[in-house]
Amino acid sequence: MSVERPLAGLGLAVTLDDVSELCRRRVAGDETLAMVDFVNLGLNPSDTVPGDVAALIEGAGWTAVIHAIDINLTTTVDLHGLERLRLAGEVLDAAWFEEDLGVWTWGQMSLGLHHLPPVLDAESVALTAGNIVRCAAALGRPLIVENPPVYYADGPLDMWTYLAAVGDAADCGLVLDSGHMMGFHINTDSTITVAPPGWAGWRRVREIHVSGFQVVELRGRPVWIDRHSEPLTRAQLDWVGTALEHMGRRCAICLELDGASRDTVAASVAAARALLDAHD
């Protein structure tokens, strides 16, 4: 397995459908994309990365991270199904792979918004950590894991404790998704916080994800909904700014803005860049 490479700066989540155009716009002098330091390419295990995409990313001066999609890290993983992802990592010389914890497929069907979060207990920590270690070996690069969207919680642990325990058990890096963690607190009627005091996971956090969301009222109580196209809120940006204070010099922020308007993307990139610049 490759050694984890340091990554800092501002990233943008992209897909195979839009990455080529974004690379060309950056090379052409797009002011918003000039503020982006790396791309976070979402790939399914069945995807193949064309050689010209790798050349375009390199020509744009971007490093690549691969966000794997639809890998059930908290149940059973088909290691033989990861071969195309491994090859994509080689083609792109990806800094690392990452994936949200949880259950994302049922047989051949993607669950999408109906995915299941991990059970938050010690047995799940051990199972998940074993899957992470085996997947990283199969992929040939580090695999770091992300706290997922949570609409309900099952188990005696909270997400902060669970995430840190998985990182320690697998000896892997962590992605801290700001919206997902705020959503965990809202959807479990707990106080929104930027980690409990003395949280052990900070030393493993490699990247902070930032994306839009909605909070709606359902049966008289607020419910958080993951919705990447929404503009970022001031409260979320403040949350991220506080998190950066725990990160030292290894700060990487990735914006997940799929479906957002160009104006929303521009405003989000500028806000995230300002957070990073203020932290420096």
Side-chain angles (χ1 to χ4, degrees), residues 60-82:
W62 280 332
T63 301
V65 165
I66 295 177
H67 194 314
I69 299 169
D70 287 349
I71 298 179
N72 293 338
L73 289 174
T74 59
T75 53
T76 303
V77 179
D78 174 15
L79 297 178
H80 298 293
L82 302 180

mmCIF file with all atom_site columns, all heavy atoms in Angstrom, residues 60-82:
data_model
loop_
_atom_site.group_PDB
_atom_site.id
_atom_site.type_symbol
_atom_site.label_atom_id
_atom_site.label_alt_id
_atom_site.label_comp_id
_atom_site.label_asym_id
_atom_site.label_entity_id
_atom_site.label_seq_id
_atom_site.pdbx_PDB_ins_code
_atom_site.Cartn_x
_atom_site.Cartn_y
_atom_site.Cartn_z
_atom_site.occupancy
_atom_site.B_iso_or_equiv
_atom_site.pdbx_formal_charge
_atom_site.auth_seq_id
_atom_site.auth_comp_id
_atom_site.auth_asym_id
_atom_site.auth_atom_id
_atom_site.pdbx_PDB_model_num
ATOM 1   N N   . ALA A 1 60 ? -4.184  20.848  -15.800 1.00 0.00 ? 60 ALA A N   1
ATOM 2   C CA  . ALA A 1 60 ? -4.796  21.937  -15.035 1.00 0.00 ? 60 ALA A CA  1
ATOM 3   C C   . ALA A 1 60 ? -4.030  22.227  -13.750 1.00 0.00 ? 60 ALA A C   1
ATOM 4   O O   . ALA A 1 60 ? -4.354  23.193  -13.035 1.00 0.00 ? 60 ALA A O   1
ATOM 5   C CB  . ALA A 1 60 ? -6.244  21.595  -14.710 1.00 0.00 ? 60 ALA A CB  1
ATOM 6   N N   . GLY A 1 61 ? -3.029  21.399  -13.461 1.00 0.00 ? 61 GLY A N   1
ATOM 7   C CA  . GLY A 1 61 ? -2.240  21.608  -12.251 1.00 0.00 ? 61 GLY A CA  1
ATOM 8   C C   . GLY A 1 61 ? -2.904  21.103  -10.997 1.00 0.00 ? 61 GLY A C   1
ATOM 9   O O   . GLY A 1 61 ? -2.559  21.535  -9.881  1.00 0.00 ? 61 GLY A O   1
ATOM 10  N N   . TRP A 1 62 ? -3.848  20.183  -11.142 1.00 0.00 ? 62 TRP A N   1
ATOM 11  C CA  . TRP A 1 62 ? -4.595  19.660  -10.006 1.00 0.00 ? 62 TRP A CA  1
ATOM 12  C C   . TRP A 1 62 ? -4.090  18.293  -9.569  1.00 0.00 ? 62 TRP A C   1
ATOM 13  O O   . TRP A 1 62 ? -3.725  17.454  -10.408 1.00 0.00 ? 62 TRP A O   1
ATOM 14  C CB  . TRP A 1 62 ? -6.075  19.534  -10.353 1.00 0.00 ? 62 TRP A CB  1
ATOM 15  C CG  . TRP A 1 62 ? -6.838  20.818  -10.265 1.00 0.00 ? 62 TRP A CG  1
ATOM 16  C CD1 . TRP A 1 62 ? -6.571  21.882  -9.459  1.00 0.00 ? 62 TRP A CD1 1
ATOM 17  C CD2 . TRP A 1 62 ? -8.023  21.158  -11.001 1.00 0.00 ? 62 TRP A CD2 1
ATOM 18  N NE1 . TRP A 1 62 ? -7.514  22.869  -9.648  1.00 0.00 ? 62 TRP A NE1 1
ATOM 19  C CE2 . TRP A 1 62 ? -8.417  22.455  -10.586 1.00 0.00 ? 62 TRP A CE2 1
ATOM 20  C CE3 . TRP A 1 62 ? -8.791  20.498  -11.957 1.00 0.00 ? 62 TRP A CE3 1
ATOM 21  C CZ2 . TRP A 1 62 ? -9.540  23.101  -11.088 1.00 0.00 ? 62 TRP A CZ2 1
ATOM 22  C CZ3 . TRP A 1 62 ? -9.902  21.130  -12.467 1.00 0.00 ? 62 TRP A CZ3 1
ATOM 23  C CH2 . TRP A 1 62 ? -10.282 22.423  -12.045 1.00 0.00 ? 62 TRP A CH2 1
ATOM 24  N N   . THR A 1 63 ? -4.088  18.058  -8.273  1.00 0.00 ? 63 THR A N   1
ATOM 25  C CA  . THR A 1 63 ? -3.948  16.723  -7.703  1.00 0.00 ? 63 THR A CA  1
ATOM 26  C C   . THR A 1 63 ? -5.335  16.093  -7.660  1.00 0.00 ? 63 THR A C   1
ATOM 27  O O   . THR A 1 63 ? -6.335  16.796  -7.555  1.00 0.00 ? 63 THR A O   1
ATOM 28  C CB  . THR A 1 63 ? -3.366  16.804  -6.280  1.00 0.00 ? 63 THR A CB  1
ATOM 29  O OG1 . THR A 1 63 ? -2.098  17.448  -6.337  1.00 0.00 ? 63 THR A OG1 1
ATOM 30  C CG2 . THR A 1 63 ? -3.225  15.428  -5.646  1.00 0.00 ? 63 THR A CG2 1
ATOM 31  N N   . ALA A 1 64 ? -5.394  14.754  -7.726  1.00 0.00 ? 64 ALA A N   1
ATOM 32  C CA  . ALA A 1 64 ? -6.681  14.061  -7.683  1.00 0.00 ? 64 ALA A CA  1
ATOM 33  C C   . ALA A 1 64 ? -6.813  13.232  -6.415  1.00 0.00 ? 64 ALA A C   1
ATOM 34  O O   . ALA A 1 64 ? -5.868  12.585  -5.964  1.00 0.00 ? 64 ALA A O   1
ATOM 35  C CB  . ALA A 1 64 ? -6.845  13.159  -8.903  1.00 0.00 ? 64 ALA A CB  1
ATOM 36  N N   . VAL A 1 65 ? -8.008  13.281  -5.839  1.00 0.00 ? 65 VAL A N   1
ATOM 37  C CA  . VAL A 1 65 ? -8.465  12.358  -4.812  1.00 0.00 ? 65 VAL A CA  1
ATOM 38  C C   . VAL A 1 65 ? -9.630  11.596  -5.431  1.00 0.00 ? 65 VAL A C   1
ATOM 39  O O   . VAL A 1 65 ? -10.400 12.158  -6.217  1.00 0.00 ? 65 VAL A O   1
ATOM 40  C CB  . VAL A 1 65 ? -8.924  13.119  -3.549  1.00 0.00 ? 65 VAL A CB  1
ATOM 41  C CG1 . VAL A 1 65 ? -9.730  12.236  -2.631  1.00 0.00 ? 65 VAL A CG1 1
ATOM 42  C CG2 . VAL A 1 65 ? -7.734  13.714  -2.826  1.00 0.00 ? 65 VAL A CG2 1
ATOM 43  N N   . ILE A 1 66 ? -9.767  10.322  -5.125  1.00 0.00 ? 66 ILE A N   1
ATOM 44  C CA  . ILE A 1 66 ? -10.893 9.543   -5.647  1.00 0.00 ? 66 ILE A CA  1
ATOM 45  C C   . ILE A 1 66 ? -11.877 9.257   -4.513  1.00 0.00 ? 66 ILE A C   1
ATOM 46  O O   . ILE A 1 66 ? -11.522 8.629   -3.515  1.00 0.00 ? 66 ILE A O   1
ATOM 47  C CB  . ILE A 1 66 ? -10.435 8.220   -6.280  1.00 0.00 ? 66 ILE A CB  1
ATOM 48  C CG1 . ILE A 1 66 ? -9.566  8.498   -7.517  1.00 0.00 ? 66 ILE A CG1 1
ATOM 49  C CG2 . ILE A 1 66 ? -11.640 7.360   -6.671  1.00 0.00 ? 66 ILE A CG2 1
ATOM 50  C CD1 . ILE A 1 66 ? -9.012  7.249   -8.171  1.00 0.00 ? 66 ILE A CD1 1
ATOM 51  N N   . HIS A 1 67 ? -13.099 9.762   -4.687  1.00 0.00 ? 67 HIS A N   1
ATOM 52  C CA  . HIS A 1 67 ? -14.177 9.454   -3.746  1.00 0.00 ? 67 HIS A CA  1
ATOM 53  C C   . HIS A 1 67 ? -14.936 8.256   -4.310  1.00 0.00 ? 67 HIS A C   1
ATOM 54  O O   . HIS A 1 67 ? -15.692 8.388   -5.263  1.00 0.00 ? 67 HIS A O   1
ATOM 55  C CB  . HIS A 1 67 ? -15.112 10.652  -3.583  1.00 0.00 ? 67 HIS A CB  1
ATOM 56  C CG  . HIS A 1 67 ? -16.038 10.531  -2.404  1.00 0.00 ? 67 HIS A CG  1
ATOM 57  N ND1 . HIS A 1 67 ? -16.733 9.383   -2.116  1.00 0.00 ? 67 HIS A ND1 1
ATOM 58  C CD2 . HIS A 1 67 ? -16.376 11.423  -1.435  1.00 0.00 ? 67 HIS A CD2 1
ATOM 59  C CE1 . HIS A 1 67 ? -17.470 9.558   -1.035  1.00 0.00 ? 67 HIS A CE1 1
ATOM 60  N NE2 . HIS A 1 67 ? -17.262 10.802  -0.589  1.00 0.00 ? 67 HIS A NE2 1
ATOM 61  N N   . ALA A 1 68 ? -14.685 7.091   -3.725  1.00 0.00 ? 68 ALA A N   1
ATOM 62  C CA  . ALA A 1 68 ? -15.405 5.898   -4.159  1.00 0.00 ? 68 ALA A CA  1
ATOM 63  C C   . ALA A 1 68 ? -16.879 6.023   -3.788  1.00 0.00 ? 68 ALA A C   1
ATOM 64  O O   . ALA A 1 68 ? -17.238 6.658   -2.788  1.00 0.00 ? 68 ALA A O   1
ATOM 65  C CB  . ALA A 1 68 ? -14.799 4.658   -3.509  1.00 0.00 ? 68 ALA A CB  1
ATOM 66  N N   . ILE A 1 69 ? -17.733 5.448   -4.613  1.00 0.00 ? 69 ILE A N   1
ATOM 67  C CA  . ILE A 1 69 ? -19.179 5.518   -4.418  1.00 0.00 ? 69 ILE A CA  1
ATOM 68  C C   . ILE A 1 69 ? -19.740 4.103   -4.385  1.00 0.00 ? 69 ILE A C   1
ATOM 69  O O   . ILE A 1 69 ? -19.351 3.255   -5.195  1.00 0.00 ? 69 ILE A O   1
ATOM 70  C CB  . ILE A 1 69 ? -19.842 6.320   -5.552  1.00 0.00 ? 69 ILE A CB  1
ATOM 71  C CG1 . ILE A 1 69 ? -19.301 7.755   -5.574  1.00 0.00 ? 69 ILE A CG1 1
ATOM 72  C CG2 . ILE A 1 69 ? -21.360 6.336   -5.409  1.00 0.00 ? 69 ILE A CG2 1
ATOM 73  C CD1 . ILE A 1 69 ? -19.708 8.535   -6.814  1.00 0.00 ? 69 ILE A CD1 1
ATOM 74  N N   . ASP A 1 70 ? -20.631 3.836   -3.439  1.00 0.00 ? 70 ASP A N   1
ATOM 75  C CA  . ASP A 1 70 ? -21.340 2.554   -3.346  1.00 0.00 ? 70 ASP A CA  1
ATOM 76  C C   . ASP A 1 70 ? -20.451 1.394   -2.900  1.00 0.00 ? 70 ASP A C   1
ATOM 77  O O   . ASP A 1 70 ? -20.531 0.280   -3.424  1.00 0.00 ? 70 ASP A O   1
ATOM 78  C CB  . ASP A 1 70 ? -22.023 2.208   -4.675  1.00 0.00 ? 70 ASP A CB  1
ATOM 79  C CG  . ASP A 1 70 ? -23.254 3.063   -4.935  1.00 0.00 ? 70 ASP A CG  1
ATOM 80  O OD1 . ASP A 1 70 ? -23.682 3.768   -3.994  1.00 0.00 ? 70 ASP A OD1 1
ATOM 81  O OD2 . ASP A 1 70 ? -23.781 3.042   -6.055  1.00 0.00 ? 70 ASP A OD2 1
ATOM 82  N N   . ILE A 1 71 ? -19.579 1.643   -1.906  1.00 0.00 ? 71 ILE A N   1
ATOM 83  C CA  . ILE A 1 71 ? -18.850 0.569   -1.254  1.00 0.00 ? 71 ILE A CA  1
ATOM 84  C C   . ILE A 1 71 ? -19.386 0.441   0.173   1.00 0.00 ? 71 ILE A C   1
ATOM 85  O O   . ILE A 1 71 ? -19.375 1.403   0.945   1.00 0.00 ? 71 ILE A O   1
ATOM 86  C CB  . ILE A 1 71 ? -17.334 0.847   -1.217  1.00 0.00 ? 71 ILE A CB  1
ATOM 87  C CG1 . ILE A 1 71 ? -16.783 0.931   -2.639  1.00 0.00 ? 71 ILE A CG1 1
ATOM 88  C CG2 . ILE A 1 71 ? -16.605 -0.243  -0.438  1.00 0.00 ? 71 ILE A CG2 1
ATOM 89  C CD1 . ILE A 1 71 ? -15.300 1.227   -2.701  1.00 0.00 ? 71 ILE A CD1 1
ATOM 90  N N   . ASN A 1 72 ? -19.870 -0.745  0.503   1.00 0.00 ? 72 ASN A N   1
ATOM 91  C CA  . ASN A 1 72 ? -20.495 -0.975  1.812   1.00 0.00 ? 72 ASN A CA  1
ATOM 92  C C   . ASN A 1 72 ? -19.437 -1.292  2.865   1.00 0.00 ? 72 ASN A C   1
ATOM 93  O O   . ASN A 1 72 ? -19.249 -2.450  3.254   1.00 0.00 ? 72 ASN A O   1
ATOM 94  C CB  . ASN A 1 72 ? -21.500 -2.129  1.728   1.00 0.00 ? 72 ASN A CB  1
ATOM 95  C CG  . ASN A 1 72 ? -22.693 -1.801  0.865   1.00 0.00 ? 72 ASN A CG  1
ATOM 96  O OD1 . ASN A 1 72 ? -23.012 -0.640  0.647   1.00 0.00 ? 72 ASN A OD1 1
ATOM 97  N ND2 . ASN A 1 72 ? -23.370 -2.827  0.381   1.00 0.00 ? 72 ASN A ND2 1
ATOM 98  N N   . LEU A 1 73 ? -18.780 -0.289  3.362   1.00 0.00 ? 73 LEU A N   1
ATOM 99  C CA  . LEU A 1 73 ? -17.685 -0.522  4.299   1.00 0.00 ? 73 LEU A CA  1
ATOM 100 C C   . LEU A 1 73 ? -18.150 -1.082  5.630   1.00 0.00 ? 73 LEU A C   1
ATOM 101 O O   . LEU A 1 73 ? -17.348 -1.637  6.388   1.00 0.00 ? 73 LEU A O   1
ATOM 102 C CB  . LEU A 1 73 ? -16.911 0.775   4.536   1.00 0.00 ? 73 LEU A CB  1
ATOM 103 C CG  . LEU A 1 73 ? -16.055 1.268   3.370   1.00 0.00 ? 73 LEU A CG  1
ATOM 104 C CD1 . LEU A 1 73 ? -15.459 2.624   3.692   1.00 0.00 ? 73 LEU A CD1 1
ATOM 105 C CD2 . LEU A 1 73 ? -14.950 0.265   3.044   1.00 0.00 ? 73 LEU A CD2 1
ATOM 106 N N   . THR A 1 74 ? -19.421 -0.948  5.950   1.00 0.00 ? 74 THR A N   1
ATOM 107 C CA  . THR A 1 74 ? -19.891 -1.415  7.255   1.00 0.00 ? 74 THR A CA  1
ATOM 108 C C   . THR A 1 74 ? -20.604 -2.763  7.186   1.00 0.00 ? 74 THR A C   1
ATOM 109 O O   . THR A 1 74 ? -21.176 -3.198  8.191   1.00 0.00 ? 74 THR A O   1
ATOM 110 C CB  . THR A 1 74 ? -20.817 -0.379  7.917   1.00 0.00 ? 74 THR A CB  1
ATOM 111 O OG1 . THR A 1 74 ? -21.938 -0.141  7.079   1.00 0.00 ? 74 THR A OG1 1
ATOM 112 C CG2 . THR A 1 74 ? -20.085 0.918   8.139   1.00 0.00 ? 74 THR A CG2 1
ATOM 113 N N   . THR A 1 75 ? -20.567 -3.420  6.012   1.00 0.00 ? 75 THR A N   1
ATOM 114 C CA  . THR A 1 75 ? -21.139 -4.773  5.931   1.00 0.00 ? 75 THR A CA  1
ATOM 115 C C   . THR A 1 75 ? -20.125 -5.702  5.268   1.00 0.00 ? 75 THR A C   1
ATOM 116 O O   . THR A 1 75 ? -19.172 -6.112  5.882   1.00 0.00 ? 75 THR A O   1
ATOM 117 C CB  . THR A 1 75 ? -22.489 -4.782  5.176   1.00 0.00 ? 75 THR A CB  1
ATOM 118 O OG1 . THR A 1 75 ? -22.324 -4.131  3.899   1.00 0.00 ? 75 THR A OG1 1
ATOM 119 C CG2 . THR A 1 75 ? -23.566 -4.065  5.966   1.00 0.00 ? 75 THR A CG2 1
ATOM 120 N N   . THR A 1 76 ? -20.353 -6.032  3.990   1.00 0.00 ? 76 THR A N   1
ATOM 121 C CA  . THR A 1 76 ? -19.469 -6.941  3.264   1.00 0.00 ? 76 THR A CA  1
ATOM 122 C C   . THR A 1 76 ? -18.989 -6.263  1.990   1.00 0.00 ? 76 THR A C   1
ATOM 123 O O   . THR A 1 76 ? -19.787 -5.676  1.257   1.00 0.00 ? 76 THR A O   1
ATOM 124 C CB  . THR A 1 76 ? -20.201 -8.247  2.902   1.00 0.00 ? 76 THR A CB  1
ATOM 125 O OG1 . THR A 1 76 ? -20.689 -8.849  4.107   1.00 0.00 ? 76 THR A OG1 1
ATOM 126 C CG2 . THR A 1 76 ? -19.261 -9.219  2.207   1.00 0.00 ? 76 THR A CG2 1
ATOM 127 N N   . VAL A 1 77 ? -17.703 -6.348  1.715   1.00 0.00 ? 77 VAL A N   1
ATOM 128 C CA  . VAL A 1 77 ? -17.111 -5.717  0.535   1.00 0.00 ? 77 VAL A CA  1
ATOM 129 C C   . VAL A 1 77 ? -16.617 -6.788  -0.424  1.00 0.00 ? 77 VAL A C   1
ATOM 130 O O   . VAL A 1 77 ? -15.952 -7.741  -0.021  1.00 0.00 ? 77 VAL A O   1
ATOM 131 C CB  . VAL A 1 77 ? -15.937 -4.804  0.934   1.00 0.00 ? 77 VAL A CB  1
ATOM 132 C CG1 . VAL A 1 77 ? -15.299 -4.176  -0.310  1.00 0.00 ? 77 VAL A CG1 1
ATOM 133 C CG2 . VAL A 1 77 ? -16.408 -3.714  1.885   1.00 0.00 ? 77 VAL A CG2 1
ATOM 134 N N   . ASP A 1 78 ? -16.968 -6.625  -1.715  1.00 0.00 ? 78 ASP A N   1
ATOM 135 C CA  . ASP A 1 78 ? -16.443 -7.501  -2.768  1.00 0.00 ? 78 ASP A CA  1
ATOM 136 C C   . ASP A 1 78 ? -15.101 -6.936  -3.219  1.00 0.00 ? 78 ASP A C   1
ATOM 137 O O   . ASP A 1 78 ? -15.047 -6.012  -4.026  1.00 0.00 ? 78 ASP A O   1
ATOM 138 C CB  . ASP A 1 78 ? -17.429 -7.568  -3.936  1.00 0.00 ? 78 ASP A CB  1
ATOM 139 C CG  . ASP A 1 78 ? -16.886 -8.350  -5.120  1.00 0.00 ? 78 ASP A CG  1
ATOM 140 O OD1 . ASP A 1 78 ? -15.880 -9.081  -4.955  1.00 0.00 ? 78 ASP A OD1 1
ATOM 141 O OD2 . ASP A 1 78 ? -17.459 -8.225  -6.223  1.00 0.00 ? 78 ASP A OD2 1
ATOM 142 N N   . LEU A 1 79 ? -14.012 -7.489  -2.701  1.00 0.00 ? 79 LEU A N   1
ATOM 143 C CA  . LEU A 1 79 ? -12.695 -6.957  -3.022  1.00 0.00 ? 79 LEU A CA  1
ATOM 144 C C   . LEU A 1 79 ? -12.357 -7.111  -4.496  1.00 0.00 ? 79 LEU A C   1
ATOM 145 O O   . LEU A 1 79 ? -11.650 -6.278  -5.073  1.00 0.00 ? 79 LEU A O   1
ATOM 146 C CB  . LEU A 1 79 ? -11.630 -7.643  -2.162  1.00 0.00 ? 79 LEU A CB  1
ATOM 147 C CG  . LEU A 1 79 ? -11.755 -7.421  -0.652  1.00 0.00 ? 79 LEU A CG  1
ATOM 148 C CD1 . LEU A 1 79 ? -10.669 -8.198  0.081   1.00 0.00 ? 79 LEU A CD1 1
ATOM 149 C CD2 . LEU A 1 79 ? -11.690 -5.942  -0.298  1.00 0.00 ? 79 LEU A CD2 1
ATOM 150 N N   . HIS A 1 80 ? -12.864 -8.172  -5.136  1.00 0.00 ? 80 HIS A N   1
ATOM 151 C CA  . HIS A 1 80 ? -12.595 -8.367  -6.561  1.00 0.00 ? 80 HIS A CA  1
ATOM 152 C C   . HIS A 1 80 ? -13.252 -7.276  -7.409  1.00 0.00 ? 80 HIS A C   1
ATOM 153 O O   . HIS A 1 80 ? -12.808 -6.994  -8.525  1.00 0.00 ? 80 HIS A O   1
ATOM 154 C CB  . HIS A 1 80 ? -13.084 -9.741  -7.013  1.00 0.00 ? 80 HIS A CB  1
ATOM 155 C CG  . HIS A 1 80 ? -12.390 -10.880 -6.323  1.00 0.00 ? 80 HIS A CG  1
ATOM 156 N ND1 . HIS A 1 80 ? -11.051 -11.167 -6.507  1.00 0.00 ? 80 HIS A ND1 1
ATOM 157 C CD2 . HIS A 1 80 ? -12.850 -11.788 -5.418  1.00 0.00 ? 80 HIS A CD2 1
ATOM 158 C CE1 . HIS A 1 80 ? -10.717 -12.210 -5.769  1.00 0.00 ? 80 HIS A CE1 1
ATOM 159 N NE2 . HIS A 1 80 ? -11.784 -12.608 -5.099  1.00 0.00 ? 80 HIS A NE2 1
ATOM 160 N N   . GLY A 1 81 ? -14.302 -6.634  -6.857  1.00 0.00 ? 81 GLY A N   1
ATOM 161 C CA  . GLY A 1 81 ? -14.991 -5.577  -7.586  1.00 0.00 ? 81 GLY A CA  1
ATOM 162 C C   . GLY A 1 81 ? -14.288 -4.236  -7.532  1.00 0.00 ? 81 GLY A C   1
ATOM 163 O O   . GLY A 1 81 ? -14.777 -3.252  -8.107  1.00 0.00 ? 81 GLY A O   1
ATOM 164 N N   . LEU A 1 82 ? -13.128 -4.179  -6.876  1.00 0.00 ? 82 LEU A N   1
ATOM 165 C CA  . LEU A 1 82 ? -12.417 -2.917  -6.723  1.00 0.00 ? 82 LEU A CA  1
ATOM 166 C C   . LEU A 1 82 ? -11.297 -2.733  -7.740  1.00 0.00 ? 82 LEU A C   1
ATOM 167 O O   . LEU A 1 82 ? -10.573 -1.735  -7.699  1.00 0.00 ? 82 LEU A O   1
ATOM 168 C CB  . LEU A 1 82 ? -11.820 -2.820  -5.310  1.00 0.00 ? 82 LEU A CB  1
ATOM 169 C CG  . LEU A 1 82 ? -12.811 -2.922  -4.150  1.00 0.00 ? 82 LEU A CG  1
ATOM 170 C CD1 . LEU A 1 82 ? -12.070 -2.800  -2.825  1.00 0.00 ? 82 LEU A CD1 1
ATOM 171 C CD2 . LEU A 1 82 ? -13.911 -1.866  -4.251  1.00 0.00 ? 82 LEU A CD2 1
#
